[in-house]
Amino acid sequence: TREEFLGAVTREITSHFRLEGDLQLELLRPWTAPEKTATLWETVVLEYPSAASSSMLVRCRELADGASAGEFTLVLRATLWREVWVARQPLALGAVFDPALLDIRRVDAFRERDGLPAAAGDRSYVISRAVPAGRLLTWHDVARRPLVRKGETVEVSAIQGQLIVTLKGVAMESGAQGEKVTVRNPDSRKDFSATVIDENRVQVRF
């Protein structure tokens, strides 16, 4: 049926582009089901667009029990519904990301591409710019909370095999968990790169 065919195309596009959310497709041209009868139908997408968007051109082949039942060029209108965060009240620059201050809204991700998914965001993030109440949060509005701050003393764990040596250093730049930062040895005045692992803690492996 038309619904089964469109459902198969939807699954293929979702898988190909690894889309997160509820993809809904609408055919903009008439489509007639193949006249063949079969116990097993398979839809194979032959050509995808370069990127998933609200308007797509897709070429596919329909297989009936493994035999070709025709090729189709589809003109599709698409929506990708996804839940995103919305500010319930004004959010100040530097505030810790707090879901209790936010609401969830279902939007079309093809129109609101920068919307911050409700599945993302936790207290490891901070608000990177002021956000008024009622506005959609985007990835531009948040940043990973720095666990190491420029100019502060940090504990450095230097690891070589089973040997672990700890020393103090001075962070020459700020960084979030997992990021590389430059640290200065206060005695030798030499700089080296280290990975942020926790609050005021970095690690170096040799």
Side-chain angles (χ1 to χ4, degrees), residues 119-134:
D122 53 37
R123 297 186 70 84
S124 68
Y125 287 86
V126 293
I127 304 302
S128 58
R129 61 182 182 184
V131 180

Side-chain angles (χ1 to χ4, degrees), residues 85-91 101-103 131-137:
W85 293 113
V86 177
R88 181 183 304 159
Q89 61 190 58
L91 304 176
L101 304 179
L102 307 170
D103 290 322
V131 180
R135 187 165 75 72
L136 212 70
L137 259 70

Side-chain angles (χ1 to χ4, degrees), residues 102-176:
L102 307 170
D103 290 322
I104 292 177
R105 182 182 301 168
R106 186 174 161 90
V107 301
D108 178 8
F110 288 142
R111 296 183 180 275
E112 302 287 353
R113 288 187 175 274
D114 290 334
L116 182 64
D122 53 37
R123 297 186 70 84
S124 68
Y125 287 86
V126 293
I127 304 302
S128 58
R129 61 182 182 184
V131 180
R135 187 165 75 72
L136 212 70
L137 259 70
T138 72
W139 284 108
H140 303 293
D141 299 319
V142 297
R144 293 293 296 275
R145 181 170 66 90
L147 297 179
V148 166
R149 292 169 178 80
K150 182 178 179 180
E152 293 187 352
T153 299
V154 295
E155 180 182 288
V156 183
S157 297
I159 302 174
Q160 185 172 26
Q162 299 297 316
L163 179 65
I164 301 177
V165 177
T166 59
L167 62 146
K168 297 295 183 181
V170 178
M172 304 306 291
E173 54 190 336
S174 299

